[in-house]
Amino acid sequence: MESPLIISRLTEDILACILDRVTDESDRKSFRMVCKAFHRVDSLQRTSLRVLRLEFLVSLLRKYQRIEALDLSVCPRIDDGTVAVLLNGGGGWWTRRLRRLVLSRSVGLRWIGLGMLVGSCPCLEAVDVSYCCEFGDREAAALSCATGLRDLRMDKCLNVTDIGLAKIAVGCEKLERLSVKWCLEISDLGIELLSKKCRGLKHLDISYLKVSSESLRSISSMQKLEVLAMVGCNIVDDDGLGFLGSGCPSLQVIDVSRCGNVSSSGLISVIQGHKVLLELNAGHYFFELSTCVLQRLEDLKNLETIRVDGARMSDSGFQVIKTNCRCLVEVGLSKCKGITDTGIMQLVSGCPNLRILNLTCCEALTDVAISAIADSCSNLLSLKLESCNLLTERSLACLGSRCFLLQDLDLTDCSGVNDRGLYHLSKCSDLLCLKLGLCTNISDKGLFYIGLNCTKIGELDIYRCMGIGDDGLAALSRGCKKLKKLNLSYCIEVTDRGIESLSHLEELSDLEMRGLLNITGTGLTALAFGCKRLAELDLKHCENISDTGFWALAYFSRNLRQINLGNCAISDVGLYMLMGNLTRLQDAKLVNLNKVSVNGIELALRVSFIRLKKVKLHASLGLHLSPEILETLHARGCKIRWD
């Protein structure tokens, strides 16, 4: 009886201090549901908002008066009309504090709406318009009116040319971070103007642009540039890297991965000119990490991260790294050739601060290497060991007994992993992400250990683990209440009982369950009723689910944004109800629906076209669907993939 009295005595300032210490979003939601006072404090304190359903947007903006960051990337559709409604119906005051705006994948937003937004947000500092397929030079011109802009992401805005980039460069001279990755129409001319106008740029990503070494000559004049990403710039050559080596005095991080026209001499130029480098990314850069490059690493005493994925390594090379790069925190060796136990032992003995290690497809490694890692790297947070088939339960015993801080472990396709190994591994109680796909020697017993001790896990992959069944999923649902992402595709022993166990995972948002032939409408109904946060669901080849399951999905799973129904037994009526009721659905795969007619597909598209951003259809439907619906989808910015 005293509890309400105690709560009533807590002032808003005290409650605000308490709320500041609550970082998990689900916990914050629980906080604001306690009582009206808690709810009010949350409303007053909230500074960021990620809107999931467009129909609530106006009321949310009226409710939260101190919003500084607004994320609209997962709304079904943001267009010029929506912006007009927001600025009028939302009570335009919400724009006065706004500093960060995320509009990525907003396929309907044009220069008029963008101009209205920019003009109404005087404090705007960061904007993300990545993957806005219609974003072009006119939109860039509208955005350039945000003169206080410091952070801009335009990844894969394919219609932006040098003209649009010039508008941004001239109008937004305060820019500090810019990403134009995959903006294929931008050339050397645009980069040259950018380097002249945005002198304060600190972070630049030009990955996959068709630019030459002339762009690097321009970039080399940027005195404040600290981070440069140029992944896949295949026209750039060693001369370009030479320009960087003699310029960019503040450079600390560089990524030259997949630059196919450069050699070791180009990388050496960069290293010689920047001995304060903290991060060097050269994945799939060279066939072999040459001796001359390794010798130059002795200049990089402060290097914290090195990634040389795909290169051939030698034990002597690791000896050089061990001797000269003792500050390393992250090492990436994915798909490297020549990796041996001896080499890894040398590496970790000289890098006691190592926290992230990627050994994907280093197939010659044995338990000896993992034992050395566990002995030397007690602060290890992430370890990737996919396709390391010589590892046994002994490796997991070493990790479980010494790496208690481990959060991310990838054991995909490690055939030596078994239930006993998972028993040892379960002592790593801080695990957040565990990948066990294709580990065919684990069963429900091993999953029981994980569910019992690894209660913080948010992501689990048990793809094609044939020994996993209903009892294993029941153990998971009892212990891993924070599970958000689960892949149990082709775990063929799972039945409706197992799926009903998963329905108790209230935070589950991403579920892959391909090829589960024992699942019926009963299991899907339980899942839909219990997992209200489901946003992505893959049901491909779940061929025995009847319409009753899909009707439940249509009624309860209103947060679904992505669904794969390939080869499902859904009918015309079931598909119509599903596509019509899922008001947040943006991505649908509708291939090989043998019980759905052409007319059924047409009606489903008509009832959902206003929300869809992507749809996958069988190629034969291109000849049978009406030109009207195809033109409408295209006009609304929906991408159709024909299978």
Side-chain angles (χ1 to χ4, degrees), residues 16 40 87 153 234 257 270 304 308 341 371 469 480 494 641:
R40 172 178 166 77
L87 296 179
R153 295 184 63 90
N234 288 317
S257 302
V270 175
E304 295 178 354
V308 289
D341 290 342
S371 178
C480 302
V494 173
R641 179 182 171 189

Side-chain angles (χ1 to χ4, degrees), residues 12-13 15-17 19-20 28 39-50 58-71 90-100 123:
E12 287 189 355
D13 289 340
L15 291 175
C17 289
L19 184 58
D20 284 341
R28 292 180 72 94
H39 193 278
R40 172 178 166 77
V41 169
D42 176 70
S43 299
L44 293 174
Q45 290 292 109
R46 179 178 286 269
T47 58
S48 63
L49 185 63
R50 186 170 186 254
V58 172
S59 60
L60 286 171
L61 291 174
R62 286 175 178 168
K63 176 180 177 182
Y64 297 111
Q65 303 176 14
R66 302 181 62 184
I67 293 298
E68 295 181 0
L70 178 61
D71 186 347
W93 47 261
W94 63 270
T95 61
R96 298 169 196 163
R97 291 176 173 266
L98 199 66
R99 297 181 180 276
R100 178 173 180 80
C123 298

Side-chain angles (χ1 to χ4, degrees), residues 413-481:
D413 199 20
C414 291
S415 56
V417 174
N418 57 22
D419 291 338
R420 190 65 185 169
L422 293 186
Y423 165 75
H424 295 300
L425 183 64
S426 68
K427 296 174 185 177
C428 298
S429 57
D430 281 346
L431 271 176
L432 300 177
C433 176
L434 178 60
K435 296 185 178 181
L436 299 169
L438 297 168
C439 292
T440 54
N441 292 317
I442 63 174
S443 68
D444 291 339
K445 185 177 181 180
L447 219 52
F448 170 80
Y449 298 131
I450 298 298
L452 185 64
N453 297 315
C454 302
T455 57
K456 297 179 182 179
I457 278 189
E459 179 178 349
L460 179 65
D461 187 346
I462 48 175
Y463 171 82
R464 288 191 185 274
C465 293
M466 306 298 189
I468 300 294
D470 297 336
D471 292 338
L473 297 188
L476 274 183
S477 67
R478 287 193 299 269
C480 302
K481 295 296 185 182

